[in-house]
Amino acid sequence: MEPVALVEHAPFAELKPPFTPMEAQTEASRCLDCGGPYAPAPCSVACPSGIDVPGFIKALRRGESQRAGQIVFSANPLAGTCARVCPTPVLCEGACVLSHVGQRPVAIGRLQRTAADAVANRAAFTAPAGGGGRVAVVGAGPSGLVCASELARLGHQVTIYDENPAPGGLIRYAIAPYRQRVAPLEDEIEPLRQAGVAFRFNTRLTGRSAFLALEAECDAIFLGIGLGADVNPELPGQNLFGVWQALPFIRALKDGHPPLVGRSTVVIGGGNTALDAAREALRLGSDQVTVIYRRDRRSMPAYPYEVSEAEAEGVRFHWLAAPVRFVGDAWLERVECQYQELATGADGRVRPQPVPGALFSIAAENAILAIGQTARAQFTEWVPGLRFEQGRLAVDDNTGQTDNPRYFAAGDAVGGVSVVQAVQSAKRAAQAIHRYLAGED
Ligand SMILES: Cc1cc2nc3c(=O)[nH]c(=O)nc-3n(C[C@H](O)[C@H](O)[C@H](O)COP(=O)(O)OP(=O)(O)OC[C@H]3O[C@@H](n4cnc5c(N)ncnc54)[C@H](O)[C@@H]3O)c2cc1C
């Protein structure tokens, strides 16, 4: 059956558009400039990348936007990206003291964007000439880019390898376009190019021989490899037209080839990716978007504020339900689901259990599976000493060093879930690589 009434792609307006200069100054003047020499401001403490938040806001208030930009980029080479994509309600803005007195927090994310946009690709740094070690960075996602930036600042020679044709990792290919399409990523990478960091795109490193070659050329290797493909539940009917895995669905959208959607879309999963896919399907023109999740609302891994925002946009939720099969004739017609109940197992863990016979169907032309990403476990076959624990590459938390001392890692591969966490762990790993190259323990 052909899908009914496919709807044309609608534009994706930015969720958090930029402030005008006047708005930025007015918003900056709401900051109480709390914190001091003995107790840093809670917003700065809550920022994983360590930005001096009251410092850059004070500069904006004085009209010194260049200075504000220097402050944010000195702590975070992806400050403009983070300004757009950070989950600020659970980080800096969630910590803002104004919310304790019943006021809305200072819009720190949007102010950071004003500061970052003021300097854009002029945030270059001068790398020390000569010397330094040779470091290979595998992955040009946020963790690889930030590790390379920090190492170049410290005078090391860095080459970044990525299987994709362009840098950015999930920023470029997965983050919802109503948060960030690509800009200002290229501006943020320009200082790395100017500092001599080399990029090798369309280069997928696989197999022991590829890593032997890197080991022969380099003194240390950083793995910013993120996670792999979507988890595949292999349900009956999954190959029908209209059934997507979340990452290819979002990537098609970000690459400028938005998938055609029908009137009804079912999204399976309870994390932030599921909510992004649901909100994207709405914007693409589906007017009935239903998220089904096998546990209850409280157990959803998505940020609660994202669930509320999706609800406000019209996304419906079916908690305690799981898909059983996809039904249709060539094209998806309905998703058959089963109600679940939460039961405590002998080990004390609460798990969803299917309720016998409790089946129901949702008519849909599209389904998007967003139930998580797999680990890139093949790396253990290619690099001796690497080890995965619960799907994450095992590293020393303080240094990012793996059990193979020449290899360091950060970002999603070691357990992060956001760009700013990738920035934080990559900065830490870069400092550790610097010490390792200097022969320190
Ligand atoms: C749908 C979705 C939406 C998201 N939205 C947000 C958001 O709004 N805000 C937010 O803060 N975070 C968001 N995130 C999370 C964020 O994107 C990640 O935490 C972050 O990108 C992790 O960075 P990374 O460098 O560790 O990995 P990645 O961004 O995954 O980059 C890893 C890179 O390594 C490359 N690579 C891997 N293996 C090899 C190899 N063998 N050879 C060569 N290259 C290789 C990959 O192709 C990729 O380019 C989202 C994630 C998803 C999936």
Side-chain angles (χ1 to χ4, degrees), residues 251-317:
R251 184 162 181 161
L253 179 59
K254 295 262 299 189
D255 276 346
H257 308 291
L260 286 176
V261 298
R263 301 298 302 269
S264 169
T265 298
V266 170
V267 179
I268 295 123
N272 292 313
T273 298
L275 295 190
D276 277 359
R279 297 172 78 178
E280 285 155 1
L282 267 185
R283 284 164 173 77
L284 286 170
S286 244
D287 53 16
Q288 289 170 40
V289 177
T290 312
V291 172
I292 66 170
Y293 179 54
R294 62 197 182 125
R295 295 172 186 263
D296 57 9
R297 180 178 187 143
R298 271 184 321 147
S299 318
M300 288 179 84
Y303 301 119
Y305 77 90
E306 293 267 8
V307 181
S308 305
E309 285 180 13
E311 266 181 325
E313 288 181 1
V315 174
R316 302 169 188 189
F317 288 85

Side-chain angles (χ1 to χ4, degrees), residues 85-87 138-144 161-164 168-171 174-176 179 203-206 211 224-227 247 250 273 276 373 376 379 382 410-413 416-420 422:
V85 308
C86 264
V138 186
S143 63
Y161 300 83
D162 199 290
E163 60 195 353
N164 286 302
L170 293 177
I171 297 175
I175 283 187
R179 292 203 173 84
T203 307
R204 178 153 211 267
L205 296 170
T206 58
F211 287 89
I225 52 177
L227 295 173
L247 289 180
I250 300 172
T273 298
D276 277 359
Q373 287 176 257
R376 295 191 192 267
F379 272 80
W382 306 336
D412 282 9
V417 294
S418 62
V419 173
V420 74

Side-chain angles (χ1 to χ4, degrees), residues 8 70 78 89 119 184 225 259 271 290 301 388:
E8 282 295 321
Q70 284 160 1
L78 300 179
V119 292
I225 52 177
T290 312
F388 278 81

